[in-house]
Amino acid sequence: MLRPRIMPCLLVHNGGLYKTVGFGQPKYVGDPLNAVRIFNEKEVDELMVIDIDASRIGQEPDYKLIANLALECRMPLCYGGGVKTVEQFDRIIGLGVEKVAVSSAAVDSPELVSNAASRVGNQSVVVVIDVKKTGFFKKYEVVTLNATQRTGLEPSVWAAKLQQLGAGEIVLNSVDRDGEMKGYDFDLIDSVRNAISTPLTVLGGAGSVEDIRGLVNRYGIIGAAAGSLFVFKGKYRAVLINYPSREEKAGIY
Amino acid sequence: MRNFQICSRCVMDTTDSAIVFDANGVCDHCVTFDTKVKPKWHTGERGVQELRALVDAIKVSGKGKDFDCIIGMSGGIDSSYLTYIATEYGLRPLVFHVDAGWNTQVAVNNIEKLVDKLGLDLYTEVIDWQEMRDLQLSYFKSGVPHIDTPQDHAFFATMYKFAEQHNIKYILTGANLSTECIRNPIEWMYYQSDSIQLRDIHAKFGTRPLANYPVTSILRHKIWLPYIKGIKVVRPLNMVEYDKAAAGKLLTDLFEWQPYPQKHFESRFTRFYEGFWLPKKFGFDTRKVQYSSLIVTGQMTREDALEKLKLPVLDDATIRQEFEYVANKLEISTTELQSYLDAPNKTYRDYKSQETIYMLGAKAMKALGLEIGGKR
Amino acid sequence: MITIVDYGLGNVQAFANIYKRLDVPVAFAKTANDLTGATHIVLPGVGAFDWAMERLEASGMRTTLDRLVLEEGKHVLGICVGMQMMARRSDEGSAAGLGWFDAEVKRFDEAHIQGRTHLPHMGWNDVHPLDTLDLFQEMGPDVRFYFLHSYYFAPNDSGNVLALADYGDRFACAVRHQNIYGVQFHPEKSHSWGIQLLKNFARL
């Protein structure tokens, strides 16, 4: 029986691991390599590592870091940040990464998605959709470049288009819920879930293992990603890498 | 060159070049323990009384605050057992952990288990990794034995800073005579709080400024903090019966706490340092110190210690993997790391230090009966 | 010598890393020459079927691999698309496969997959080995691996099936024909189960 995927999502900024709230207020979490190593030993289902600077400042991905992280992962790794060309997809996968994620690049040139899928296979092409409630009516809108750019795109429409183009997985990220640890945004997830049949992973808002259980109860097979939950503990948001044990996971699904 | 000699009672030997043996072949570590440490060390009924008095004082000082003391927690057996004792006595500690980038999964898991099951609050200070890395590399390049200083120094510096900021008067550490009454010779592990030495080594070999890395100094935490700010560092494990094996079992039974194969192996760097670097480069095996403490406190037999010392701490395959891991993490090649291993051995005397202050201070402390069990 | 075929596709580094941790020496093969001395061959693969076959042919190793596997009986383990390439053909493309198995590669029937998530088959799924020898030794009662694919291997000889998995339909996720093994999942990314499987392969 296929299981829902429960995965930590780590953000890299200036070579270090950071965690944000609403995509702002970055808090230093430490060395990426050590965090990934600990997650590997905790046998996490898979891992996402996103470089939050690269696209915004027009930088190339840090290939050395990616290679070192891949070395430590005995589970699938998805890397995102600064990817704009099919060659970069190829290169990153060649370093030992299973999936490559794009966000703003897909908005700028949707054909990147289909070209990359032809080259590396659609199972390795992930598109991240960052969503914020914008405008007077607070409607869901796709945003990019660390939530600094509005696109005018509606998330479920955009997600359906991406599936058509050949994306193998959609990661739906709620900017408003980021770092809040108050629960996932079910309204948003409902709208996108009903529009596509590719694997969907959601990120933004998970505050407890109960939130993940609730997500799985509602949607069945889904990817439950979390940043703060697996990296912080307690009221002082003390950095402590954590992840449900095998027994705890068995209780989630 | 001295002939090799090993103590007839513990297992310290002439790899500690300052060691002295009496007519019976008993070393000065043992003699110091018998004459200076043991008489002032009270567990049993008197220890419990002392502990109760301390606990009461801590509770009073913490009234109305979110927590009454902070406990430096590494996830190792000493700090874990201390945390348990503290809560048993009704204290409300903040568990303080310093992440220097080398945490092992077991350590992190142990901290999580204790914090969750005891319902305690946790605070983690994450040391800026790029600065830490640069500082650690500086120590490698300096050729001195005490390359674990960057981790240790940061640990104490941040704890004191936090206590000062939050007006907490008591810092509890897991330091204890039961497993540490015999200390690492200064030749092996020089004072980690010596900021003059730290800054000198950094100045000579560092490539980036220490902007975020927390620097403390011996004067600050031996004089300023305790006597001016009234922040005390206490060692409650010295007031209770502390049997390592029993403590480990209790922690496992109550909290699913996982043991480590050797003391200090909660940090991957320390494991590399004590398990490979120190013995290989300098011939210093810290197990001798740890086992000797257990021998004089009746927790281990000399025969058992000698048996264990026959085998290396880490097997060859593990050494190779750890060597590569450390090189990778420090962003250098294994060839470069090897070059530091092969370079000439230096001592703390090759760099600036506050050694004289330590010697004077230690003498004064002992004369005033303020401290027992110092390094030499 | 364990030799990993490096024809430009598949996570060769991950396999090397696992064997390194196990202290088992490995070699990479980029050319036919590099295959000399190979006793156990790992054939990884990701991406599209046609592209993978094309890359393998372009590497110049095809003929040598055929000889080593079909004539000299060297052990070979195909992973994911590496396994699929061992069939005669695939629904995914038009290229001919290696034909080491009398089998085809078919696309999952989405109509049989419950729930909203369909393809690719992505995530950790239970694997049911038909025996616990060979590749599946010492795995414990609860065997699972990471899958990432939209097409599955369909052997015509049911005797080739080594393990089964369920995704809409039941399908062969591990196959064997004499010295030739194929697994649909990714042992190099399946934690302890994967490490054990790769260890078992090296022991054959």
Side-chain angles (χ1 to χ4, degrees), chain A residues 28 31 37 42 233 239, chain B residues 105 116 124 129 268 329:
Chain A
Y28 185 61
D31 172 41
R37 215 216 163 245
K42 286 187 178 293
K233 179 152 275 290
V239 174
Chain B
Q105 196 276 134
D116 281 348
T124 305
W129 169 245
R268 201 149 171 206
K329 191 149 155 65

Side-chain angles (χ1 to χ4, degrees), chain A residues 14-15 28-34 37-38 41-42 64 68 71-72 233-243, chain B residues 66-67 94 99 101-105 108-109 111-112 115-116 121-124 126-129 268 325 328-329 331:
Chain A
N14 282 345
Y28 185 61
V29 167
D31 172 41
L33 189 58
N34 208 46
R37 215 216 163 245
I38 294 178
E41 279 188 64
K42 286 187 178 293
K64 187 145 195 290
N68 281 338
L71 252 172
E72 293 298 322
K233 179 152 275 290
K235 73 185 206 216
Y236 296 105
R237 281 164 74 93
V239 174
L240 193 77
I241 305 287
N242 67 89
Y243 185 81
Chain B
D66 286 339
F67 39 89
L94 173 75
D99 182 350
W102 296 90
N103 276 344
T104 58
Q105 196 276 134
V108 166
N109 199 48
I111 295 172
E112 187 187 357
V115 161
D116 281 348
D121 282 326
L122 174 70
Y123 185 90
T124 305
V126 182
I127 307 296
D128 183 307
W129 169 245
R268 201 149 171 206
Y325 180 79
N328 250 5
K329 191 149 155 65
E331 294 172 49

Side-chain angles (χ1 to χ4, degrees), chain B residues 285-303:
Chain B
D285 187 345
T286 56
R287 288 179 302 171
K288 292 173 186 169
V289 176
Q290 292 149 23
Y291 293 165
S292 295
S293 297
L294 296 175
I295 290 168
V296 301
T297 55
Q299 296 177 72
M300 190 180 203
T301 63
R302 189 167 178 275
E303 290 67 43

